[in-house]
Amino acid sequence: MNDQTSKKVITRFAPSPTGHLHIGGARTAIFCWLMARHFGGKFLLRIEDTDIERSRQEYTESILSSMRWLKLDWDDEPVFQRGRFYIYDKNIERLLESGHAYWCACSPEEVETMRERARAAGEKPRYDGRCRNLHLGPGPGRVVRLAAPMAGRIEFTDMAKGRLSFDASELDDMVLRRADGAPTYNFSVVVDDIAMNVSHVLRGDDHVNNTPRQILIYRALGADLPVFGHVPMILGPDRQKLSKRHGAKAVIEYEKDGLLPEALVNYLVRLGWSQGDKEIFSREELVAAFNGKNLSGSPAAFDPEKLLWVNARHLREAKPEDILPLLLPFLEEAGAPMRDRTLLLGAISLFQPRARTLKDLAEQMRTLLIAADELHYDGEILALLGTEGCGHLVCLGGKIDELPDFCPETLHQCLRAYVEERGVKFKAVGQAMRIALLGSVNGPDLAGAMAILGKDEVRNRLDRTLAQFSAATNHI
Ligand code: GLU
């Protein structure tokens, strides 16, 4: 451990429940989780629901459910800011008593006029501190402000951006407690991060300008500073702010599209952190490698195609037993009948190298799982089969009947022997068999698919195809 991590690592994810969990927030959560797990520390969750108008219970539930799906387990009970107003008030009292804060009676309109005036004079818009020495007490419409230092520099070393330095004279006396009694974001965050013993504050760099202000609050409360890390935003491929039109969705949508949580975690981590040029990481590898270093200081671009590529890689490497429970809802959605576990596992291992998502996998598997009479051969595909293809089906059907067993090796040999004996291309035979067995010209390993279907079902599908072919040709 270096000096930044010599005390127990405690990170937190602090979403505002004003929407579903999006990929930017998810990535922050993943970084915080990895940091805690890497150092054997704690990962805490805090729901920042002080904005009564915009916060909704359903979003809290949705965020927690996305976190569970991503397997970002948190320690302790989640903290809800809404239940902590009395704690913020206590801290306000402390700051008022120690002279680090004061009551201000200026109306929002007056403050706006001050700002306008400063702007007109070419200065930074700021509150001019006129109530600072008036020793006012509480009253309707009054806010509490921090008596911020007028000069000096505020500096810290950021985990992603390196050394940052701000001029204290640029910051005005910020509001800590609003007229309605609610704490401001900067104040509640600092009070809670201190109370929760947070050692590392990792968040999006849209908050980087809040950090010098928060540091002033830490100082006023006499608390040690945590280590800060501000990870750059995720942008669209056109380097503009990420939005739906770039194909970016809420985490919950990716779950519905059939992504694996491991793949989304892997992809998002790589959008802001690297270890050489390694692209594919298991969760265990990430936990072992992620120590908070090598965070990128510049924004990364979201690429939906690459996300699918990463997903396909994870899907190919996952164990069929791990895929099965995640796949069940997709099989149902695809209208595939439930079959026994062994058959399902066999079908997964057959199709998984060819699928990009669970949805895709379920749709491909459906052709193998449905009853033969549901397989529909349309005119176009029957035309592709042709008389020659039918000839292959008839001959191969005869050979298959005589096989001693129906395991993939035997079937493979049978197909090879047939191709050699006839002096035909494997491709032509393979295509005819795929059409008959799966109703499509593309498909997985043929011998593997036949072994899963079993002799009777293969026979059944060959006969049906031949019958449909002859019906179609007679009709013409
Ligand atoms: N509630 C803030 C947000 O969602 C948290 C920022 C922070 O981590 O301090 O952006």
Side-chain angles (χ1 to χ4, degrees), residues 4 70 73 78 101 123 148 165 195 219 227 250 265 307 325 350 367 475:
Q4 291 201 335
L70 289 168
D73 56 326
E123 290 161 14
S165 176
R219 286 188 193 152
V227 179
V265 166
L307 172 58
L350 186 68
T367 55
H475 188 69

Side-chain angles (χ1 to χ4, degrees), residues 250-270:
V251 170
I252 197 176
E253 298 289 325
Y254 290 113
E255 184 180 350
K256 284 190 200 136
D257 287 354
L259 259 70
L260 292 175
E262 266 57 40
L264 191 56
V265 166
N266 181 165
Y267 176 72
L268 291 178
V269 170
R270 284 287 291 106

Side-chain angles (χ1 to χ4, degrees), residues 64 108 122 167 275 310 473:
L64 296 190
D167 194 341
Q275 191 190 46
V310 171
T473 24

